[in-house]
Structure formats: structure tokens, C-alpha cells
Amino acid sequence: MHLRYPRLEINLSALTENTRRIVELCGEQGISVIGIIKGATGIPQVAEAFTDGGVNVLGSSRLEQLRGIRDFGVDKPLMLIRVPMMSELEEVVELCAGSLNSEVSVLEALNDEAIKQGKVHRVVLMADLGDLREGFWDKEELVNVALKVEREMRGLLLEGVGTNVGCYGSILPTPDKLQELVDIASEIEGKIERKLDVVSGGATSSLMRVVDKNIPEGINSLRIGEGILLNRDLGLFYGYDIGGMRKDVFTLKAEVIEVKVKPSHPKGEIGVDAFGKRPKYVDRGMRKRALVAIGKVDYGDPAEIFPKDMGIEVLGASSDHTILDIEDYPRNLKPGDIVEFDVNYASIVHLTNCKNVRIAFIESKN
């Protein structure tokens, strides 16, 4: 079959291996993993690889992604990992086993909808421990709302408490920070006279505590996406290398459409680019350059795709073209040749959302 470009290849066997490794690593410390599929736009085959690797609950912030994997035939409990919108409560209750919550009015409406549908919807109440995204800031309010859910909302089950760190305010999941969540859970458990099923200690960044084996006792669930899909950020930003992880899950391939020797600095009066920015250009003289047929509308930021071959440098991009410096590349690139790139979490989100990028699935072992 004739291949079409640009294309994002997803190595499903590598993804399954990564999932299994994270599930086992967390399981050794009594922690279950919720597999977060939103980084790959909820592609059903990605969700299948998560379940093949041992994940028993799948989560996303987008209902359409959860609906897509359910329609595909993935039969696992689903969790909405963002506070539900009032306008979507009917579908939330119908589709999801549970959701993360931090608003009393939403909980009350969610309770009414669950009773209407004859269901019990599981809720995890979120505590804001300083990252300043979702969650109750006033911990006394959180405890009181937990009591309200437990005692007054028969359509809801108080499954547990959770927190988010590192996604907005860049707050690190230190042992002391996560202990705050354990202490909140303990206070609630004392008042409701039962153990909570879930104390959710954050996302991929909390894997640092698992690796160091200093995650507070009582944390029993993590919501992991990037740490399975790429396992890149912890090593790049914090020096954490989780052994046994595959780095070849995603490969972006783009086709060369022009190869020329050109000046490295634009000629003429410089204004703004197509996106209203004023880039800085370095004059390196005449250089051999290649254009590939992919651009910012496909992957977002050209600084977030990384040529696999040495000697190729991403100079920048417009909407539909990416400009590469290939002066030091030993091969003689020509139109029709394919350049391969590694990607990061942000570029995966863009690429898997872009209709112009073909998604291809491969199965290969190391």
C-alpha cells in the first residue's frame, strides 16, 4: 500500500511494555494505575495497549474520547479526570464509573442525575495543595463536603480524595506535599468511620516518589499518561530514569519537498511571521536546507519535534512547512525522502488531533 505523509507511527507493543512496567512498579508499593489516554487524543488502539499492559481503569478529560474507546469495544471502567460541566452530566453518569470533583453545586446536580438514571456514580474530591488548578483550597470545606456526599447524596459514592500537582503551578510532589493529602484522607475516614477506596496522589510527576520509594503510606492510586506514553519528562527535567522503558512508542515521519542552498538570514525588511511573532534569526552564511511538508498547524511548536538523525537541525516552521538545516547531514537528501522525528507530550497532543497527519500502528519488539 502506498504510504501517505506526514504520518505518526505508534508502536503498540512498545506501549504495552511501558504500561506493564509502570503498573508493576507502582503495584510493588500497593498503588494502582489509572491509564490516562488524553495525551494521544483517546485513540482506541492506545487504550487497548494500556489495558493489555494491565491497567484496569482508563481516564480522560474529554468525554468524546471516553465514548470513542467504549464504542470501539474497550470494556474497562472509565473516569472523567476533570470536574464535569453542568451541560454534560447526563453523559457523565451514563458513560463514566466516576469523576474528579471540586464544586458542591456540580456534586448536587451529579447526584440528581445519578438518581434519575438509577446509578451510583463514584466521586473523588480534589484537594488543591498549592498547584492552583482544580480542588478545594479550604480543607475544612473539603471535609464538610465529603461528609455531605457520604450522608446526603445517595446517587454518589465517596470513593476518595485526590490532588493535582505540577500541571499548572509547577509544584513538585514532595513527600511532605503528598502527606498533606494522606492527612486529609485520614481525617475524612475518621469522620465517616470507613476507609476511602482511593487516595489519588497525582500524575506522572508523582512517579518520582515511587522510584525513590518515599511516597507516603496511604497513597494508593496515580493517574499516569505521559509516564507511559513517552517516559521522557522525568528524565529530561528531573534526572529520573525508570529502567525497562521503551522510548520508541511514537515516531513522526515527514516527506522532503525541497532541498536548496540558501542564506541563513532572511533578506529584506523584517516584520512579523504568519503567527504574528518576531523570530530571531542567526546569520550562519549560506547553508543547505530542506523543507518537509508539515508545519505548526500539525504539531504546534517546532522546538518540540526532534530529528532522529544527527546533522539535521530544525530551524523553524510556518503553518505547513518545516525548515531544516542539513548542511552537516552526511546523506544526500532529495524530494521524496523521509525524515524521522522523536516527539514530546505537547507535540503528540497536536499530532493526534490533526486530520492531516496519518496515524499508523506497528508491532515491533526491541
Side-chain angles (χ1 to χ4, degrees), residues 12-299:
L12 295 176
S13 56
L15 182 55
T16 299
E17 288 181 36
N18 281 0
T19 307
R20 186 173 296 113
R21 173 69 179 122
I22 293 299
V23 168
E24 291 174 353
L25 181 69
C26 291
E28 290 169 359
Q29 298 179 50
I31 298 170
S32 65
V33 173
I34 298 175
I36 305 305
I37 61 172
K38 65 186 178 74
T41 317
I43 293 172
Q45 291 85 347
V46 168
E48 281 191 321
F50 274 42
T51 61
D52 289 345
V55 163
N56 291 318
V57 179
L58 296 166
S60 177
S61 56
R62 312 284 175 169
L63 281 180
E64 59 270 23
Q65 295 177 9
L66 296 174
R67 174 68 68 187
I69 66 172
R70 176 66 81 238
D71 291 346
F72 189 78
V74 177
D75 186 22
K76 292 289 183 181
L78 305 179
M79 171 172 277
L80 180 65
I81 60 164
R82 124 175 100 60
V83 178
M85 294 185 284
M86 288 287 200
S87 59
E88 65 185 4
L89 294 185
E90 181 178 357
E91 187 175 8
V92 171
V93 172
E94 183 269 323
L95 181 63
C96 299
S99 58
L100 307 184
N101 284 268
S102 61
E103 278 289 345
V104 176
S105 60
V106 175
L107 286 163
E108 291 171 340
L110 196 58
N111 176 61
D112 291 342
E113 182 59 41
I115 292 172
K116 180 180 176 182
Q117 293 190 29
K119 293 186 173 183
V120 176
H121 184 78
R122 305 171 77 90
V123 295
V124 173
L125 302 184
M126 298 296 283
D128 190 337
L129 302 182
D131 204 63
L132 304 182
R133 203 178 72 177
E134 83 277 40
F136 291 91
W137 182 255
D138 186 322
K139 304 312 179 287
E140 183 178 352
E141 180 188 11
L142 170 54
V143 172
N144 290 335
V145 171
L147 293 175
K148 183 179 179 69
V149 172
E150 178 77 4
R151 296 170 179 173
E152 301 177 20
M153 299 186 181
R154 61 184 177 89
L156 304 181
L157 173 66
L158 178 62
E159 186 172 34
V161 294
T163 195
N164 172 75
V165 288
C167 286
Y168 171 72
S170 308
I171 296 300
L172 289 170
T174 61
D176 287 346
K177 182 61 65 177
L178 294 183
Q179 185 63 46
E180 293 179 33
L181 182 67
V182 173
D183 291 343
I184 292 169
S186 296
E187 182 177 352
I188 292 172
E189 289 172 341
K191 292 181 181 296
I192 66 175
E193 298 182 331
R194 69 173 177 87
K195 293 286 290 184
L196 294 170
D197 293 330
V198 169
V199 182
S200 183
T204 291
S205 60
S206 294
L207 286 174
M208 292 189 285
R209 304 283 68 81
V210 176
V211 172
D212 287 344
K213 296 185 178 180
N214 61 357
I215 194 163
E217 184 177 354
I219 300 291
N220 64 7
S221 177
L222 294 178
R223 310 178 303 276
I224 307 297
E226 192 278 338
I228 294 173
L229 296 170
L230 289 168
N231 194 248
R232 179 179 183 274
D233 288 358
L234 293 185
L236 179 64
F237 298 118
Y238 301 111
Y240 278 78
D241 179 25
I242 299 178
M245 298 294 290
R246 297 279 295 270
K247 304 294 186 181
D248 59 339
V249 175
F250 295 91
T251 299
L252 172 62
K253 295 184 176 183
E255 185 171 337
V256 176
I257 57 172
E258 178 188 291
V259 178
K260 305 283 186 188
V261 176
K262 295 185 179 182
S264 53
H265 196 282
K267 303 300 180 182
E269 186 175 348
I270 293 178
V272 298
D273 65 14
F275 290 82
K277 307 296 183 182
R278 295 181 184 271
K280 300 293 184 181
Y281 305 97
V282 177
D283 192 346
R284 300 163 65 188
M286 300 293 287
R287 303 279 294 185
K288 191 174 184 180
R289 297 148 67 95
L291 299 183
V292 290
I294 192 170
K296 291 182 179 180
V297 297
D298 304 300
Y299 55 67

